[in-house]
Amino acid sequence: MALDTLLSRKAGVLAVIAAAGLTLTSIPSAARAEGVAQGRRAEAVRGTVADRLQDRTGAELAGAGAPALPAGVSARAWTVTDLRTGDVLAAKNAHQRLAPASTLKTLFAVTVLPKFRAQAVHKVAPKELAGIGPGSSLVGIQENRSYRVADLWRGVFLRSGNDAVRVLASMNGGWTATAREMQARARQLGARDTTVKSPDGYDSPGQVSSAYDLSVFGRTGLANADFAKYCATASARFPSSGSPAFGIRNTNRLLTGANGMRRYSGILGVKNGYTSNAGNTLVAAAERGGHRLLVTVLNPQSGASNAVYNEAASLLDWGFGAVGRTRPVGSLVAGAAAPGGRAAGPTADGAGGGDGGRTAGARPVAAQVSRQPGRWSETTLWAVAGGFAVALAAGAVFGWRMYVRGRQTPGDGR
C-alpha cells in the first residue's frame, strides 16, 4: 500500500508538471503563429505598391496596348493613382521616406479641417504667430485681427502660409498636440512612412513622408468637399487691417498656369511644396474622360525649370492613356477614403483598393497591424496567460485528488 500511495502522489505531481509543460509548449507555437500572421499583415500594408523603374514600358506593366511610361521623369519618387478605385497604376520608390515640404499640409488639412466651421471667426493672438521658421511662406496674417476660418484655410492652400497653419494649429490645441494628432491620423489611414515633426511641412530633423503616403492624404482630402474646394481655388481675396482685402494666388502652377506653365486641362488642384531639404514636391489631381487620377512627385533631379510640374503633367497624361489598359502595381490601403466619402475596399492580398462601394465600413488594414510586427499582441498574451492558468488549475485539482486518494488507502489507517 505504501507503494500505491507513493505512486499516487507521484502521479499527482506529474499531472501538474505535464499540464504546465503542455501549456508552456504551446506558447512558442502561438507566438510564432501570431508573429507570422502579423508579419504578413504588416507586409500587406508596407508592400502594397511595387516599385517600378522609370524606364520600364507600359507594356511591361500591363501587357499589350498600354502606353510607355514617359521619358525623362527624374523625380526620386512618384506614384500615379486612380482616385476612384485607389489602384496605383505605376510607381517608383513609392515607400521611400523623403522630406515632404508643404505637401504635408494635406495631412494637416485632413486632420484639422473638419473641426471648425468655415464661417467661424477667430481673433489672432500674438503668441499664435510665434515660432514660424525663417524663410517660411506667409499669407500675411496680422496680430489682434479677426479672420474667418475659411480665410485661414485659403491662406494654407493658396499661399501655403505657415502663419495660417500656426493659427489653425493653435485653435486645435497647439503645435505639439496637432503634430501628435496628425501622426495618429496618418497611422489610422495606413500611412506608415510618415513622421510628423512640424505640421506646416517646414524642414525638421526626422520629418519624412513618401509618395505613397502623400497619395493617401491627397485622396482622403479630396473626399472632403471643403478640402476639394480650397485646393482647386486659383485665386481669392484675403482680408487686411486698415485697407481693402488683397489678392492672393495659388502657388500650384498646374492650377494657375503661371511662371511659364500652362494650366493643366481638368486640374482638380491639391498641393505643392518646396524646401531646401525636400526640393520641389507636388500632389496633383485631374479629371479627363470620366476618369480621375492623382500623381505625387517628389524631388525631381533634372534641375530643369518647372520640373516638378512638367513631370507631374507627363505622368497624368500617361495615366489617362493607361487607365483601363494596365494592371495596377498596387493600391492604397483601406483606411484612405475615396472621393465621395467611401472607404476603399481590400484587395486580395489584404491591402486596400477597389471600388469603395464594395466594402462599406471595412476596417482599415492598418488597424489590424501591430506597431511591432512579429511581437505578441496584447490579446495573444492574455489568451496564452489565461490558457496557462486554466491548465495549471486543472492539473493541480487532478493532482490533489490523486494525492488524497493515496492518503485514504487502508494502509494509512483511515
Side-chain angles (χ1 to χ4, degrees):
M1 293 301 177
L3 180 59
D4 290 342
T5 300
L6 180 61
L7 290 174
S8 296
R9 290 175 180 172
K10 286 185 176 180
V13 173
L14 288 172
V16 174
I17 294 172
L22 180 62
T23 305
L24 290 171
T25 301
S26 68
I27 290 176
S29 298
R32 283 194 298 271
E34 177 67 13
V36 170
Q38 289 192 4
R40 286 174 178 170
R41 290 195 296 267
E43 184 62 24
V45 172
R46 290 285 295 113
T48 51
V49 176
D51 291 342
R52 291 296 186 266
L53 296 177
Q54 181 181 317
D55 59 359
R56 285 191 177 181
T57 65
E60 288 175 308
L61 292 174
L69 284 166
V73 178
S74 67
R76 292 180 64 186
W78 54 262
T79 57
V80 182
T81 303
D82 186 318
L83 270 173
R84 184 183 68 84
T85 64
D87 290 336
V88 179
L89 305 182
K92 176 186 176 183
N93 298 331
H95 288 291
Q96 184 175 355
R97 297 179 178 185
L98 300 168
S102 284
T103 54
L104 192 65
K105 289 182 171 80
T106 56
L107 175 58
F108 175 73
V110 164
T111 305
V112 178
L113 193 153
K115 295 187 174 186
F116 304 104
R117 293 183 301 106
Q119 298 307 312
V121 175
H122 177 76
K123 185 176 181 179
V124 177
K127 65 180 182 180
E128 294 176 335
L129 297 176
I132 297 174
S136 289
S137 53
L138 306 172
V139 68
I141 290 176
Q142 299 167 326
E143 298 177 359
N144 300 314
R145 194 198 190 288
S146 295
Y147 295 88
R148 292 182 305 163
V149 166
D151 290 325
L152 296 174
W153 282 115
R154 279 188 279 270
V156 172
F157 277 94
L158 276 68
R159 294 299 304 166
S160 203
N162 288 2
D163 49 354
V165 174
R166 286 274 169 177
V167 174
L168 287 162
S170 177
M171 294 169 60
N172 189 56
W175 196 247
T176 302
T178 298
R180 284 198 300 263
E181 188 177 351
M182 288 170 63
Q183 187 72 70
R185 183 69 171 126
R187 294 297 181 266
Q188 182 186 34
L189 291 169
R192 307 188 69 83
D193 303 321
T194 299
T195 299
V196 180
K197 299 294 184 180
S198 185
D200 54 7
Y202 193 83
D203 281 341
S204 299
Q207 178 156 277
V208 291
S209 190
S210 68
Y212 178 85
D213 285 10
L214 291 166
S215 298
V216 171
F217 305 149
R219 183 170 183 252
T220 303
L222 287 169
N224 179 292
D226 288 331
F227 183 111
K229 177 182 68 177
Y230 292 132
C231 79
T233 301
S235 62
R237 304 289 292 176
F238 196 81
S240 177
S241 293
S243 62
F246 58 90
I248 57 174
R249 193 177 193 184
N250 203 308
T251 56
N252 180 354
R253 298 177 189 178
L254 286 186
L255 182 66
T256 62
N259 297 89
M261 287 297 302
R262 287 185 178 182
R263 176 183 167 92
Y264 189 84
S265 177
I267 188 71
L268 301 173
V270 190
K271 191 72 189 76
N272 60 307
Y274 173 81
T275 66
S276 56
N277 186 35
N280 286 288
T281 60
L282 177 66
V283 180
E287 182 173 19
R288 185 184 298 172
H291 298 289
R292 287 186 163 203
L293 299 180
L294 181 139
V295 299
T296 297
V297 177
L298 300 181
N299 199 355
Q301 301 294 292
S302 70
S305 177
N306 289 323
V308 75
Y309 300 105
N310 284 316
E311 293 184 16
S314 67
L315 288 169
L316 282 169
D317 288 343
W318 175 85
F320 285 119
V323 67
R325 302 165 64 189
T326 181
R327 289 187 299 273
V329 299
S331 62
L332 303 186
V333 297
R342 297 170 298 178
T347 62
D349 64 359
D355 190 335
R358 286 201 296 262
T359 54
R363 187 181 182 191
V365 174
Q368 301 172 11
V369 180
S370 168
R371 288 180 181 272
Q372 298 180 338
R375 299 286 297 274
W376 298 0
S377 68
E378 203 170 308
T379 303
T380 303
L381 287 172
W382 279 109
V384 171
F388 175 73
V390 170
L392 188 60
V397 170
F398 177 73
W400 177 254
R401 292 181 62 183
M402 294 294 292
Y403 173 78
V404 170
R405 285 178 58 190
R407 290 181 60 86
Q408 291 178 341
T409 60
D412 288 337
R414 294 188 180 182

